[in-house]
Structures are given as structure tokens and as C-alpha cells.
Amino acid sequence: MKEKQSVKELQSYVVNPIVCSVKLDANEGNKDLFKDLVKELGNDFYLNVYPDDNYTDLKKAISDYIGCNVENISVGNGSSELLDLCVKTFVDTNELILSLDPTFSMYSIYAKIVNSRYMETGEGSDFDIDVDEVIESIKKNNPKITIICNPNNPTGTVIKRDKVLEILKSTDEIVIVDEAYMEFGEESVVGEIENYKNLIVVKTLSKAFSMAGIRTGYLLANEELVKTVEKVRPPYNLNSVSAFLATKALEQKDKMLAYVKEVKKEREKVYNALLDMNIKAFPSGANFVFFYSDIKDLEDKLVQEDILIRKFGGKLDNHYRVTIGTKEENNAFIVAMKKIV
Ligand SMILES: *Cc1c(COP(=O)(O)O)cnc(C)c1O
């Protein structure tokens, strides 16, 4: 039995199996933020029935949080599932998906699975995004989907709202804005879903809400686009336990907002500490800091100190991404870095 050609050529997304006490490799949030919600899964919660496939309660909570209608929402098993669904919905064999250079590696994997073509563009100096080049590229190549990760993973770069809207205006085809980290930034285009026929915004509870374990994400777009994506969505794609916990967390957004405020403060601390060590760190609008260092085996040396960060390879060789953790974790990272430097 042989897999199809596109899968044969695929490299799987590798999750680092190393375990360290200070885990700063995956942009996860504060462990304690919504821990108590598990207790609310009481006696009147039934595991034997399928979830409500309309996800009425969850969509209500999302619509209150975002300020949109429930008809503008589709929910998924992480925003990863929704990105995959969009690719399956809008892109055929050999059609093009365009994204930023560099960006989240999962986009290229979803593209390859459906046998589409994939290209990255718009790399400016110091990982700034050259929006003019992105627009030029869109006009020249007419991609079926353009994916804009804002703030961008792994660089932390933020594209201004006006610039994202310029990209949206440059094409009639779909533009997905992945706002996984936008709670840590200020340039959301979520308020524009009714104004642009081609805009899809994808968001998640994995980062600012610190609920990566429940795998819950959502998609926001005009009603017609939502209906189109819903045709491809499998029934009951989000399990009932996650839907329940996500609903409760969204109803307590103040906890998330306080956490975001703390992360932003800590982010500046980590960023400045790296600069003070003469390490080239890049400004970030997310819950991580991206940096360059030519210290040999830096990742391994940090593991020796019981700290795990994310190392990049290939074109991004010698580049690293450190998640902003608790104050103690960030301090541990800074102390270890000083020691290694
Ligand atoms: C973390 C992340 C997501 C969120 O994925 P989930 O499946 O919702 O956990 C989406 N996009 C980017 C760029 C991310 O870094």
C-alpha cells in the first residue's frame, strides 16, 4: 500500500519530545488561568450524547467576545482544523496558496496535502513584512488563498491593520488572516468581516486564553463564506468537553486580558534582556520573542539548564523563538542565557 505522491513527499510537523521543567517552546499560556473550569463539568454533563452540532452556546460566547453575529462563526478542533478546512474548501490541485516569508510551517503542509502549489513572499529587512511585495506577488500569481499570519509566527512581526486591508483590496480571492496571537497585538481586522467578501479571520483559544489542551479554534467571516466552509466541516468536529470549557473561558475574558497585560510587560523584559546581551532580538507583537544567536548548540545548552525553547533550521538556521512564560520562567531563561553567553 502506497500513500499518494503529495503525502510521500511530505515532512511531518515535528514536536520536540524533550521534557524540561521550563517549557518555552510552543507558545502555550499560563497553566493556571482556567484550570478551575474542569470542576464545572458536573453531574448534568453527559458524555454519551454527541455535541450540539450548531455549537449554540459556544458561538454565543464567541459572538459576545468578538462583537459579531453567530452566523459569522464556525468552530473547529483548534484553528489548525479550520485552516485545513479552508484549504479543502477553496483550493484545487495545482492552484496556488500564497503566504508570508517566513511563516507558520503548517500552511505549506495543508497546501501539499491537497496537491496545491505553495509560495512564500514579502520578506523585508529584519523580518519586517514588505506588504508592497506581497501585493505585487498576489497580482502577479493570483493565489486562490493568501494566508497572512498576524502577528506572524515565528518572527512576532505585526502588520498594521491598514496594510492588511490593502492586501484584502488587492484580490477578489480568499485572504485568511490568522490572528492566533492578536490578543497580544492591536491590529485585528475582525471588525471588517462584513465589509470584505473575501476575508476570513481564524482565531484560537490556544494562546491568550491558555487553553491549548482543549484544541478549540474558530473562524469568522461573512455569512456566505461561513456557509461554504460549513459544507466541508465534519459533523461534531469539536468535542463537547472542549466546547463547554471554551464557552466558560470566553465568558471570563477579564482573566485573559489581565494575563495578556502581564505577558506584554514580560515580553519587553525578555526582549531588552536579550538586547543587553548583544543578542539580535526582534520586536514582537505576540507571546514570544524571536532572536538570532550564533552561540554553538544554544538549544542543548539551555536544555542542560532544564529550559526548552524552539530552534529553527534551514533558512532560519541560528534563529530561536522563546515563549513568554511566567515571571519565574522568564527569569530562569534570562539567567541561563547570561550564563551561556
Ligand atoms: C498556535 C498557532 C495556531 C493555533 O493552533 P490551534 O490549532 O488553534 O492550537 C494557529 N496559527 C498559528 C500561526 C499558531 O502559531
Side-chain angles (χ1 to χ4, degrees):
M1 258 189 303
K2 277 221 178 81
E3 69 272 49
K4 61 179 181 176
Q5 192 58 31
S6 58
V7 172
K8 203 171 182 175
E9 291 161 9
L10 212 58
Q11 302 265 358
S12 28
Y13 185 88
V14 183
V15 176
N16 196 335
I18 298 173
V19 177
C20 291
S21 317
V22 179
K23 187 176 184 312
L24 303 176
D25 67 319
N27 300 340
E28 293 147 318
N30 188 309
K31 292 176 195 63
D32 288 326
L33 210 52
F34 291 106
K35 212 172 141 195
D36 285 350
L37 290 181
V38 175
K39 292 186 200 129
E40 291 189 34
L41 287 162
N43 280 336
D44 51 357
F45 193 91
Y46 295 99
L47 298 176
N48 61 313
V49 287
Y50 282 113
D52 158 26
D53 190 51
N54 289 318
Y55 296 98
T56 312
D57 294 343
L58 177 55
K59 285 185 187 172
K60 172 75 174 55
I62 294 169
S63 75
D64 288 346
Y65 170 57
I66 297 291
C68 65
N69 298 318
V70 290
E71 289 79 14
N72 297 124
I73 304 168
S74 185
V75 302
N77 194 30
S79 52
S80 305
E81 182 186 34
L82 294 163
L83 289 162
D84 187 26
L85 273 187
C86 287
V87 170
K88 285 182 186 152
T89 304
F90 297 104
V91 188
D92 247 322
T93 305
N94 283 325
E95 290 183 329
L96 179 69
I97 296 176
L98 182 141
S99 194
L100 305 175
D101 185 14
T103 196
F104 188 39
S105 62
M106 281 309 297
Y107 305 149
S108 70
I109 294 181
Y110 298 135
K112 280 172 196 152
I113 291 169
V114 299
N115 268 304
S116 65
R117 289 175 294 126
Y118 178 81
M119 70 175 279
E120 296 186 347
T121 187
E123 186 185 345
S125 59
D126 281 349
F127 298 109
D128 232 4
I129 292 144
D130 184 342
V131 173
D132 293 336
E133 191 185 312
V134 173
I135 290 174
E136 235 173 77
S137 226
I138 289 174
K139 289 193 167 150
K140 192 169 143 211
N141 299 293
N142 199 32
K144 273 310 282 286
I145 294 185
T146 299
I147 308 178
I148 305 292
C149 186
N150 197 30
N152 193 23
N153 182 8
T155 56
T157 319
V158 180
I159 309 177
K160 291 273 182 208
R161 224 176 127 268
D162 290 355
K163 290 283 176 186
V164 178
L165 298 183
E166 272 181 38
I167 295 172
L168 270 158
K169 285 175 197 150
S170 74
T171 175
D172 291 327
E173 304 292 350
I174 299 290
V175 176
I176 300 176
V177 185
D178 183 345
E179 295 193 353
Y181 300 98
M182 193 52 93
E183 279 87 356
F184 303 101
E186 279 101 33
E187 305 292 335
S188 180
V189 290
V190 101
E192 302 288 341
I193 50 173
E194 293 289 8
N195 302 333
Y196 291 87
K197 282 207 307 232
N198 58 339
L199 170 61
I200 294 177
V201 179
V202 170
K203 292 179 70 72
T204 179
L205 273 83
S206 295
K207 309 290 158 59
F209 279 91
S210 305
M211 298 192 96
I214 69 167
R215 312 296 306 116
T216 302
Y218 51 100
L219 168 157
L220 305 154
N222 66 65
E223 196 173 338
E224 201 187 317
L225 278 184
V226 168
K227 277 189 179 150
T228 307
V229 175
E230 283 283 313
K231 290 203 273 184
V232 185
R233 181 182 68 84
Y236 318 122
N237 58 324
L238 182 60
N239 73 77
S240 56
V241 176
S242 294
F244 176 87
L245 296 173
T247 305
K248 296 284 171 192
L250 284 159
E251 288 168 358
Q252 301 178 38
K253 68 168 182 183
D254 287 353
K255 267 193 189 174
M256 177 276 293
L257 292 173
Y259 169 62
V260 163
K261 207 171 150 187
E262 182 197 308
V263 168
K264 284 178 166 178
K265 205 173 84 194
E266 288 289 305
R267 180 178 73 201
E268 292 324 293
K269 183 179 89 182
V270 171
Y271 171 70
N272 286 317
L274 288 169
L275 293 183
D276 286 345
M277 291 175 231
N278 274 323
I279 287 172
K280 191 167 173 63
F282 299 91
S284 168
N287 66 340
F288 55 81
V289 174
F290 187 66
F291 64 94
Y292 169 86
S293 168
D294 55 12
I295 296 170
K296 214 171 153 296
D297 303 322
L298 176 61
E299 187 196 25
D300 298 340
K301 285 173 181 161
L302 283 167
V303 168
Q304 297 292 312
E305 305 289 329
D306 210 9
I307 297 168
L308 190 63
I309 67 166
R310 176 71 194 266
K311 175 187 195 294
F312 292 89
K315 222 184 92 172
L316 294 179
D317 209 19
N318 293 327
H319 287 79
Y320 301 85
R321 189 192 66 200
V322 59
T323 304
I324 303 303
T326 62
K327 201 170 171 179
E328 292 72 29
E329 288 173 328
N330 304 328
N331 289 343
F333 167 72
I334 291 168
V335 168
M337 283 297 290
K338 280 184 180 153
K339 187 172 149 191
I340 294 164
V341 168

